[in-house]
Amino acid sequence: MRIVKLTKETRKDILENLLKRSPNSYGEFEGRVADIVAAVKERRDEALFDYTARFDHVELTKETIQVTEQEIAEAYEQVDPALLKVIRKALVNIRSYHEKQRRNSWFDSQPDGTILGQKITALAKVGVYVPGGKAVYPSSVLMNIVPARVAGVGQIIMTTPPGKDGKVNPSTLVAAREAGVDTVYKVGGAQAIAALAFGTESIPKVDKIVGPGNIYVALAKKAVYGHVSIDSIAGPSEIMVLADGTADPRFVAADLLSQAEHDEMASAILVTTSMELAQQVSRQVDEFTAALSRKEIIQKSLDHYGYILVADSLEDAVDTANEIASEHLELMTENPFEVMTKIKNAGAIFLGPYSSEPLGDYFAGPNHVLPTNGTAKFFSPLSVDDFIKKSSIVYYSKDALEAIHEDIIQFAKSEQLTAHANSIAVRFGKEVH
């Protein structure tokens, strides 16, 4: 891996390079995505089946687009029982963590005759998109479905592209059933997002779409936003390790590569105060990469978006971590809990040498659907809050309103909204024109 001395200039250059990975930088795909979305909106199932035949080489019909109970039963027979056991153990942790995020409606009553509150309502229908390209991710199935289920969503619909045999990957199906999905459809890409957003003869319209996908899926989610809600427009995966001279270089190198293997556009960055550690990690990365099964993908990721940054001080390292706002941030310092208090921007923070990023991906419980490409500065991990909506509750007695009605009338008049003022005035035998 390249070793770079950290300065204001190098940090700026790296940030500009990382931002090239944003889905917003791929405008040349937007026209194609817009055509697909428009076609599905207009021709519904007909367009859905046409695109599936063209892109996935599978002929679908209204009778075969939905995964059947028999197909799910077959999936259970095909999945390794040891994997099923692990999925169920992970589910306990994921469900337990998200149950702590539940929010309740609340009401606040005052002696003056006012009651104010907030009503929490789960979304009625949610669509979960699950990719099926270079790799299969049953862990993402769990992470997207469980918080929706915990929130109390009425209907959870999953779409995922079929293989050339017309079937869905067995581990994906098993994970979906274990997490509590209601219906699974064999369709992927931008056409699946459009179907969930607008509805077709086979697939119902949903209120919100969540889940990762390729650039076509990301841009389709962007295109339908406003017709439905979305979780985010996710970019490629990324990890940053912030370490001092106490860190184990083997641990650091292994963790950097855990994200670099996702795809060629993934980013892996070490920022450290130790040149010695930087050199050791660089050598260890080369050694690990040569032996790993996805070494071609890893190497391309490291060549384009991998960095080892050597900072003059821990303060400079922390400032860089906050500026880059990585999806995953590991703190491998002498006192990671103290450093953690200085971190403002990160999707998920992993503390100490035995809290590696894959622990969060699969098992610990917090959601692994995280803000990418610097959006951790203003976005949060997927949570139960993403699957609820809030309504304000307002009650005033006559006496409570009478005590402040002149204030409201004056405010409304200052905005020249006399009908607003009149709505209050008529309740007390007055009129405003």
Side-chain angles (χ1 to χ4, degrees):
M1 287 180 73
R2 80 194 95 179
I3 299 176
V4 178
K5 182 68 176 174
L6 184 61
T7 65
K8 287 184 178 179
E9 290 72 25
T10 57
R11 186 162 75 187
K12 180 182 177 183
D13 290 343
I14 289 166
L15 280 167
E16 288 178 354
N17 188 40
L18 294 176
L19 288 174
K20 295 175 185 174
R21 301 155 58 250
S22 169
N24 293 318
S25 300
Y26 289 80
E28 69 266 25
F29 296 102
E30 289 185 347
R32 285 181 245 171
V33 168
D35 289 343
I36 293 171
V37 169
V40 173
K41 183 179 180 182
E42 181 181 347
R43 296 192 289 118
R44 303 196 291 169
D45 268 359
E46 180 188 356
L48 205 58
F49 299 156
D50 286 347
Y51 284 122
T52 302
R54 188 189 311 179
F55 299 139
D56 297 312
H57 310 292
V58 173
E59 297 292 337
L60 289 179
T61 66
K62 192 178 291 187
E63 290 70 38
T64 61
I65 190 173
Q66 183 176 331
V67 171
T68 65
E69 285 297 320
Q70 181 180 343
E71 288 174 302
I72 294 173
E74 289 172 358
Y76 271 88
E77 292 175 2
Q78 294 168 18
V79 166
D80 185 343
L83 175 60
L84 178 57
K85 187 175 181 181
V86 171
I87 286 173
R88 287 173 172 168
K89 288 170 72 175
L91 265 173
V92 171
N93 296 339
I94 297 166
R95 190 177 292 115
S96 175
Y97 182 87
H98 287 85
E99 282 174 347
K100 293 178 176 65
Q101 297 176 339
R102 272 193 184 133
R103 303 177 68 176
N104 297 314
S105 301
W106 59 267
F107 300 90
D108 180 43
S109 176
Q110 297 295 324
D112 65 359
T114 64
I115 300 175
L116 302 178
Q118 183 172 268
K119 185 175 183 294
I120 303 293
T121 306
L123 301 183
K125 290 180 185 175
V126 166
V128 174
Y129 185 85
V130 176
K134 295 180 180 179
V136 176
Y137 300 112
S139 59
S140 284
V141 176
L142 306 183
M143 293 293 182
N144 279 279
I145 293 176
V146 168
R149 193 86 282 165
V150 170
V153 170
Q155 188 176 5
I156 302 173
I157 298 160
M158 188 177 98
T159 66
T160 187
K164 288 184 171 59
D165 60 356
K167 296 185 179 296
V168 174
N169 181 275
S171 62
T172 297
L173 275 186
V174 167
R177 172 52 62 88
E178 291 291 319
V181 78
D182 291 300
T183 314
V184 181
Y185 293 97
K186 306 170 191 175
V187 61
Q191 61 270 26
I193 301 300
L196 291 169
F198 300 111
T200 73
E201 294 89 344
S202 299
I203 298 178
K205 172 181 167 54
V206 300
D207 302 310
K208 184 166 188 170
I209 301 171
V210 302
N214 62 18
I215 188 64
Y216 291 97
V217 170
L219 291 176
K221 287 170 73 176
K222 181 180 178 182
V224 302
Y225 177 63
H227 298 282
V228 292
S229 179
I230 62 172
D231 52 348
S232 64
I233 302 170
S237 188
E238 56 203 26
I239 186 171
M240 172 177 278
V241 179
L242 194 162
D244 58 21
T246 67
D248 186 318
R250 285 175 59 81
F251 291 3
V252 174
D255 293 357
L256 291 171
L257 299 181
S258 72
Q259 293 308 289
E261 77 169 340
H262 269 297
D263 66 56
E264 293 89 343
M265 295 180 69
S267 169
I269 299 174
L270 165 64
V271 56
T272 180
T273 53
S274 169
M275 178 60 79
E276 182 181 0
L277 179 72
Q279 293 168 342
Q280 290 173 333
V281 169
S282 181
R283 289 193 294 269
Q284 191 62 62
V285 162
D286 291 342
E287 186 178 321
F288 280 148
T289 299
L292 290 168
S293 61
R294 294 167 70 87
K295 58 187 175 184
E296 290 82 7
I297 292 173
I298 290 171
Q299 196 58 59
K300 288 181 180 179
S301 166
L302 296 179
D303 288 346
H304 290 102
Y305 304 108
Y307 298 92
I308 297 176
L309 307 177
V310 182
D312 289 331
S313 67
L314 188 60
E315 288 72 23
D316 286 345
V318 168
D319 287 346
T320 299
N322 282 326
E323 188 64 26
I324 292 177
S326 186
E327 177 188 17
H328 307 98
L329 175 63
E330 292 188 0
L331 303 181
M332 292 201 196
T333 58
E334 188 172 12
N335 191 342
F337 288 91
E338 181 183 350
V339 176
M340 182 265 293
T341 65
K342 301 173 183 176
I343 298 299
K344 299 177 181 177
N345 304 320
I349 305 171
F350 301 82
L351 306 178
Y354 295 98
S355 305
S356 63
E357 188 279 336
L359 174 66
D361 267 356
Y362 296 112
F363 209 78
N367 209 287
H368 79 199
V369 180
L370 303 166
T372 59
N373 221 234
T375 61
K377 292 178 179 178
F378 46 84
F379 281 145
S380 305
L382 192 72
S383 72
V384 169
D385 282 350
D386 286 287
F387 300 98
I388 62 168
K389 57 191 180 72
K390 292 162 270 191
S391 302
S392 302
I393 303 296
V394 179
Y395 167 80
Y396 268 56
S397 66
K398 180 180 180 181
D399 289 345
L401 182 62
E402 186 171 16
I404 49 88
H405 79 283
E406 291 289 355
D407 295 333
I408 302 172
I409 291 171
Q410 182 178 354
F411 218 147
K413 284 181 175 179
S414 75
E415 296 183 350
Q416 299 181 353
L417 297 176
T418 53
H420 279 63
N422 194 56
S423 172
I424 298 295
V426 295
R427 284 164 166 76
F428 301 99
K430 308 172 186 177
E431 287 187 26
V432 175
H433 300 288

